[in-house]
PDB file of all heavy atoms in Angstrom:
ATOM      1  N   ILE A 307     256.050 228.034-153.211  1.00  0.00           N
ATOM      2  CA  ILE A 307     255.463 228.044-151.888  1.00  0.00           C
ATOM      3  C   ILE A 307     254.193 227.301-151.700  1.00  0.00           C
ATOM      4  O   ILE A 307     253.958 226.487-150.815  1.00  0.00           O
ATOM      5  CB  ILE A 307     255.222 229.618-151.317  1.00  0.00           C
ATOM      6  CG1 ILE A 307     256.582 230.290-151.237  1.00  0.00           C
ATOM      7  CG2 ILE A 307     254.572 229.531-149.999  1.00  0.00           C
ATOM      8  CD1 ILE A 307     256.380 231.778-151.128  1.00  0.00           C
ATOM      9  N   GLN A 308     253.342 227.418-152.666  1.00  0.00           N
ATOM     10  CA  GLN A 308     252.166 226.584-152.718  1.00  0.00           C
ATOM     11  C   GLN A 308     252.396 225.112-152.814  1.00  0.00           C
ATOM     12  O   GLN A 308     251.625 224.405-152.230  1.00  0.00           O
ATOM     13  CB  GLN A 308     251.208 226.981-153.910  1.00  0.00           C
ATOM     14  CG  GLN A 308     250.526 228.404-153.690  1.00  0.00           C
ATOM     15  CD  GLN A 308     249.448 228.718-154.663  1.00  0.00           C
ATOM     16  OE1 GLN A 308     248.576 229.458-154.250  1.00  0.00           O
ATOM     17  NE2 GLN A 308     249.355 228.039-155.780  1.00  0.00           N
ATOM     18  N   ARG A 309     253.447 224.839-153.483  1.00  0.00           N
ATOM     19  CA  ARG A 309     253.669 223.310-153.500  1.00  0.00           C
ATOM     20  C   ARG A 309     254.137 222.716-152.023  1.00  0.00           C
ATOM     21  O   ARG A 309     253.711 221.896-151.591  1.00  0.00           O
ATOM     22  CB  ARG A 309     254.797 222.992-154.551  1.00  0.00           C
ATOM     23  CG  ARG A 309     254.240 222.950-155.944  1.00  0.00           C
ATOM     24  CD  ARG A 309     255.172 222.276-156.827  1.00  0.00           C
ATOM     25  NE  ARG A 309     256.314 223.059-157.240  1.00  0.00           N
ATOM     26  CZ  ARG A 309     256.511 223.807-158.250  1.00  0.00           C
ATOM     27  NH1 ARG A 309     255.624 223.856-159.087  1.00  0.00           N
ATOM     28  NH2 ARG A 309     257.617 224.312-158.437  1.00  0.00           N
ATOM     29  N   MET A 310     254.867 223.656-151.345  1.00  0.00           N
ATOM     30  CA  MET A 310     255.183 223.336-149.956  1.00  0.00           C
ATOM     31  C   MET A 310     253.972 223.221-149.092  1.00  0.00           C
ATOM     32  O   MET A 310     253.838 222.326-148.321  1.00  0.00           O
ATOM     33  CB  MET A 310     256.071 224.491-149.340  1.00  0.00           C
ATOM     34  CG  MET A 310     257.431 224.620-149.894  1.00  0.00           C
ATOM     35  SD  MET A 310     258.253 226.115-149.036  1.00  0.00           S
ATOM     36  CE  MET A 310     259.586 226.348-150.289  1.00  0.00           C
ATOM     37  N   LEU A 311     252.999 224.182-149.193  1.00  0.00           N
ATOM     38  CA  LEU A 311     251.790 224.127-148.579  1.00  0.00           C
ATOM     39  C   LEU A 311     251.059 222.873-148.809  1.00  0.00           C
ATOM     40  O   LEU A 311     250.415 222.300-147.927  1.00  0.00           O
ATOM     41  CB  LEU A 311     250.969 225.286-148.727  1.00  0.00           C
ATOM     42  CG  LEU A 311     251.708 226.762-148.587  1.00  0.00           C
ATOM     43  CD1 LEU A 311     250.725 227.806-148.830  1.00  0.00           C
ATOM     44  CD2 LEU A 311     252.245 226.873-147.226  1.00  0.00           C
ATOM     45  N   THR A 312     250.932 222.481-150.095  1.00  0.00           N
ATOM     46  CA  THR A 312     250.278 221.256-150.449  1.00  0.00           C
ATOM     47  C   THR A 312     250.804 220.064-149.696  1.00  0.00           C
ATOM     48  O   THR A 312     250.111 219.280-149.117  1.00  0.00           O
ATOM     49  CB  THR A 312     250.339 221.011-151.990  1.00  0.00           C
ATOM     50  OG1 THR A 312     249.680 222.230-152.695  1.00  0.00           O
ATOM     51  CG2 THR A 312     249.639 219.707-152.428  1.00  0.00           C
ATOM     52  N   HIS A 313     252.128 220.009-149.657  1.00  0.00           N
ATOM     53  CA  HIS A 313     252.827 218.958-148.923  1.00  0.00           C
ATOM     54  C   HIS A 313     252.548 218.902-147.454  1.00  0.00           C
ATOM     55  O   HIS A 313     252.468 217.860-146.805  1.00  0.00           O
ATOM     56  CB  HIS A 313     254.342 218.882-149.267  1.00  0.00           C
ATOM     57  CG  HIS A 313     254.503 218.812-150.688  1.00  0.00           C
ATOM     58  ND1 HIS A 313     253.815 218.008-151.567  1.00  0.00           N
ATOM     59  CD2 HIS A 313     255.615 219.260-151.482  1.00  0.00           C
ATOM     60  CE1 HIS A 313     254.271 218.080-152.764  1.00  0.00           C
ATOM     61  NE2 HIS A 313     255.372 218.861-152.766  1.00  0.00           N
ATOM     62  N   ILE A 314     252.438 220.198-146.796  1.00  0.00           N
ATOM     63  CA  ILE A 314     252.148 220.296-145.441  1.00  0.00           C
ATOM     64  C   ILE A 314     250.779 219.822-145.269  1.00  0.00           C
ATOM     65  O   ILE A 314     250.520 218.935-144.302  1.00  0.00           O
ATOM     66  CB  ILE A 314     252.195 221.763-144.993  1.00  0.00           C
ATOM     67  CG1 ILE A 314     253.761 222.183-145.004  1.00  0.00           C
ATOM     68  CG2 ILE A 314     251.629 221.882-143.472  1.00  0.00           C
ATOM     69  CD1 ILE A 314     253.898 223.732-144.807  1.00  0.00           C
ATOM     70  N   LEU A 315     249.835 220.201-145.996  1.00  0.00           N
ATOM     71  CA  LEU A 315     248.416 219.810-145.958  1.00  0.00           C
ATOM     72  C   LEU A 315     248.258 218.234-146.046  1.00  0.00           C
ATOM     73  O   LEU A 315     247.589 217.668-145.188  1.00  0.00           O
ATOM     74  CB  LEU A 315     247.575 220.491-147.037  1.00  0.00           C
ATOM     75  CG  LEU A 315     246.114 220.185-146.965  1.00  0.00           C
ATOM     76  CD1 LEU A 315     245.527 220.936-145.748  1.00  0.00           C
ATOM     77  CD2 LEU A 315     245.397 220.696-148.206  1.00  0.00           C
ATOM     78  N   THR A 316     248.911 217.609-146.952  1.00  0.00           N
ATOM     79  CA  THR A 316     248.749 216.190-147.071  1.00  0.00           C
ATOM     80  C   THR A 316     249.888 215.312-146.298  1.00  0.00           C
ATOM     81  O   THR A 316     249.733 214.169-146.322  1.00  0.00           O
ATOM     82  CB  THR A 316     249.084 215.737-148.634  1.00  0.00           C
ATOM     83  OG1 THR A 316     250.323 216.134-149.025  1.00  0.00           O
ATOM     84  CG2 THR A 316     247.986 216.569-149.411  1.00  0.00           C
ATOM     85  N   GLY A 317     250.697 216.033-145.611  1.00  0.00           N
ATOM     86  CA  GLY A 317     251.709 215.307-144.789  1.00  0.00           C
ATOM     87  C   GLY A 317     252.786 214.579-145.675  1.00  0.00           C
ATOM     88  O   GLY A 317     253.229 213.579-145.325  1.00  0.00           O
TER      89      GLY A 317
END
Side-chain angles (χ1 to χ4, degrees):
Chain A
I307 296 165
Q308 288 197 151
R309 285 199 286 264
M310 296 177 193
L311 302 181
T312 300
H313 300 329
I314 294 172
L315 185 70
T316 61

